[in-house]
Amino acid sequence: MNYPTPHIQATPADFGQTVLMPGDPLRARYIAEHFLQDPVLVNNVRGVQGYTGLYQDVRVSVMASGMGMPSMGIYSRELYEAFGVRNILRIGSAGAIQPHINLKEIVMAMGASMDSNYQTQYHLMGTFAPICSFEMLQAATRSAEELGVAYHVGNILSSDFFYDDDAGVPEALDPKKNWQKMGVMAIEMESAALYLNAARCGKNALCICSVSDQLVWHEYLSAEERQTGFGQMMQVALETAVKLEK
Ligand code: HPA
């Protein structure tokens, strides 16, 4: 794949080895302005701002994925294939579906289950199990421990549906309940596509999410509270990026 791509007007030299990917372009800009030293804007196609700056003398990039697997699929594929990016660390939010996982806690997705057809493109005679990079997971758990941040590691669900048509569905057929029975920690909408692209491109990926919604207890963070959980996750993500460089 050649650069520039339809969605990223930049060169490989514009990106660090590790790209942090929130879903939201405004959050990418906020991270660049508040956490990185000397951030430089490297992409602005469709307002998907990408920045590269320094954190503890390491070049780190941050660019939004947009929402959902098609959008994550586009940006991660282009970053890996056209821009030579080695590690993508998604930093998102998720809705917990286990009763013991609390608001503001961090979930690290060792695996990403899905209700999407994204992997049909690979023509596998079976289903692939999308998993994170062990190296990245190890760096992230070590960073969380050093920072004293609580985290959970396990499976998450990457869903195509934020609003599902579940009115009147009998409990035995309720997908949330059934994913919960399988031990899945939380629902978000991007990681499986990221992990599949990483596998196909021979690269590394990890998703860490801060819990913004507790879907068992119907608790939801206010906009202000989301920032607190987000700040801790950012610290973990940046320390992880530094560890990956060593
Ligand atoms: N569903 C899907 N994605 C999410 C949610 C949710 O409840 N909360 C945060 N991201």
Side-chain angles (χ1 to χ4, degrees), residues 90 93-96 157 159 161-162 176 187-190 210 212-213 215 220 226:
R90 164 165 155 72
S93 61
L157 172 66
S159 178
F161 315 103
F162 187 86
K176 264 194 204 83
I187 309 179
E188 52 79 73
M189 305 185 76
E190 291 82 18
S210 108
S212 57
D213 308 300
L215 303 175
Y220 308 92
R226 276 171 196 250

Side-chain angles (χ1 to χ4, degrees), residues 12-23:
D14 289 329
F15 289 98
Q17 277 204 74
T18 302
V19 177
L20 309 183
M21 294 200 96

